[in-house]
Amino acid sequence: MQHLTQLCNRQCTLTVMQQEPRRMTRNQKPMSIISCDIDSLKRVNDQYGHDAGDRILVRFGEIF
């Protein structure tokens, strides 16, 4: 889990993708996974600082 956004990071996502299909089958419930990449975030960090980049990440986390 990524503490800043409260969303899964890459490693967490891989673990979930291994575990959830079994639970989905057992509970007969659908599963959805959203994966995204924020283009140019490095440029934002470089130009405005990591605090600005973190605010963007947190906001995207809230939206998701």
Side-chain angles (χ1 to χ4, degrees):
M1 180 76 60
Q2 214 275 351
H3 295 290
L4 180 66
T5 62
Q6 303 302 305
L7 299 173
C8 278
N9 57 17
R10 182 179 177 277
Q11 186 59 47
C12 174
T13 299
L14 294 175
T15 300
V16 168
M17 289 176 64
Q18 291 174 349
Q19 296 172 347
E20 287 303 310
R22 289 189 293 267
R23 184 175 14 186
M24 183 182 73
T25 300
R26 191 172 57 245
N27 295 331
Q28 296 184 358
K29 302 264 183 175
M31 176 181 83
S32 298
I33 294 176
I34 297 172
S35 177
C36 73
D37 182 51
I38 302 173
D39 290 338
S40 304
L41 187 61
K42 182 184 181 321
R43 195 166 59 215
V44 170
N45 284 337
D46 291 346
Q47 186 170 352
Y48 300 104
H50 287 273
D51 287 341
D54 287 352
R55 286 192 298 274
I56 290 170
L57 291 173
V58 167
R59 183 65 183 126
F60 269 90
E62 292 169 351
I63 291 168
F64 288 131

